[in-house]
Amino acid sequence: MKTTSHFIWIELKSEIFSNLFVEMYKYVKEKNIENSILFQNPLSPHITIYYLEKDISNSTKDAIKNDIKNLSINNWIYTNGFSYFYNPEWDRFVLYFKSNTSLPLVEYRNKLHEKYNRSDVEDNNFSFSPHITFLKILNSEIFEKHRENIEAILCEEISKIKNIDINWKKISLYAVNSQFKEEIQIKL
């Protein structure tokens, strides 16, 4: 696979999010606004802990895999709401689910950053906020016309899953190709 980047992330239970994706997709399709948003791949919901470049040596991959084995992620993660990120450089919003956990995710991210120091990877320069990306808003004008209905669907569906542990308790290094619509994501 042609790789565009690598990520270290905590795997989440995709089946818990399936109805949410289906209900949102039905609304988006019914309103014919599919081109105004881009869904995260519904088969791989996750919390990204650290971002890496596209070209990584095999020895670095092995070191990363060894390091993340030592991160204890055997605790619960819940989602209890949603919010938005805005990046003016992309002129794009990201709608994400908030994560709630006692896991020290910020500490884990900081340890990885201290060791691998990938400051040249843009996403590592933002303030770290553990989240679960749901979709990217490609056309905010169209989205805004549907925002109230979309948020109502989100509130209803999140209320059904907010008390369910979504953590698979697995952390992995992934190779990603972002040129495909929902991203191709391969566990290494």
Side-chain angles (χ1 to χ4, degrees):
M1 174 179 86
K2 180 181 175 187
T3 301
T4 58
S5 62
H6 290 84
F7 300 108
I8 298 167
W9 74 51
I10 296 175
E11 298 175 46
L12 304 176
K13 299 174 184 174
S14 60
E15 68 275 9
I16 293 172
F17 294 93
S18 62
N19 286 342
L20 199 155
F21 274 99
V22 168
E23 291 305 313
M24 188 60 65
Y25 183 74
K26 284 192 316 192
Y27 177 84
V28 166
K29 188 168 174 68
E30 175 187 308
K31 300 300 180 183
N32 196 27
I33 58 171
E34 297 104 315
N35 292 332
S36 65
I37 64 162
L38 178 62
F39 284 103
Q40 165 63 33
N41 187 326
L43 299 177
S44 61
H46 60 272
I47 297 174
T48 301
I49 301 299
Y50 202 64
Y51 300 90
L52 299 145
E53 67 276 10
K54 70 178 182 174
D55 296 318
I56 301 175
S57 70
N58 287 335
S59 61
T60 301
K61 288 177 189 175
D62 291 340
I64 290 168
K65 289 183 211 177
N66 192 48
D67 288 340
I68 63 178
K69 274 191 230 176
N70 297 319
L71 300 177
S72 175
I73 55 159
N74 292 322
N75 209 339
W76 50 266
I77 299 175
Y78 297 102
T79 185
N80 59 359
F82 62 91
S83 192
Y84 300 89
F85 290 129
Y86 177 67
N87 183 329
E89 289 180 27
W90 305 330
D91 192 30
R92 186 175 295 168
F93 287 90
V94 172
L95 192 158
Y96 66 89
F97 302 126
K98 297 176 185 179
S99 64
N100 178 18
T101 184
S102 63
L103 293 169
L105 301 182
V106 174
E107 177 185 319
Y108 293 166
R109 184 267 181 206
N110 290 342
K111 283 182 181 179
L112 290 164
H113 189 61
E114 284 174 25
K115 181 163 185 179
Y116 296 101
N117 193 21
R118 296 308 204 263
S119 296
D120 53 327
V121 178
E122 182 181 22
D123 287 349
N124 289 331
N125 295 310
F126 299 125
S127 176
F128 180 68
S129 175
H131 66 280
I132 306 148
T133 299
F134 180 55
L135 57 82
K136 293 177 183 169
I137 300 164
L138 306 176
N139 185 319
S140 56
E141 189 176 310
I142 291 173
F143 182 83
E144 199 56 44
K145 292 176 185 175
H146 298 272
R147 182 178 183 150
E148 188 175 316
N149 293 333
I150 287 170
E151 289 183 353
I153 293 167
L154 288 172
C155 287
E156 181 178 341
E157 293 301 319
I158 289 172
S159 73
K160 297 174 187 175
I161 64 173
K162 69 180 181 179
N163 295 319
I164 300 173
D165 181 6
I166 59 175
N167 189 1
W168 265 123
K169 298 170 180 53
K170 297 177 186 174
I171 187 167
S172 302
L173 173 64
Y174 278 78
V176 178
N177 184 315
S178 299
Q179 295 173 327
F180 189 74
K181 187 175 178 184
E182 280 86 19
E183 288 190 341
I184 299 170
Q185 305 156 338
I186 307 294
K187 186 189 308 188
L188 300 179

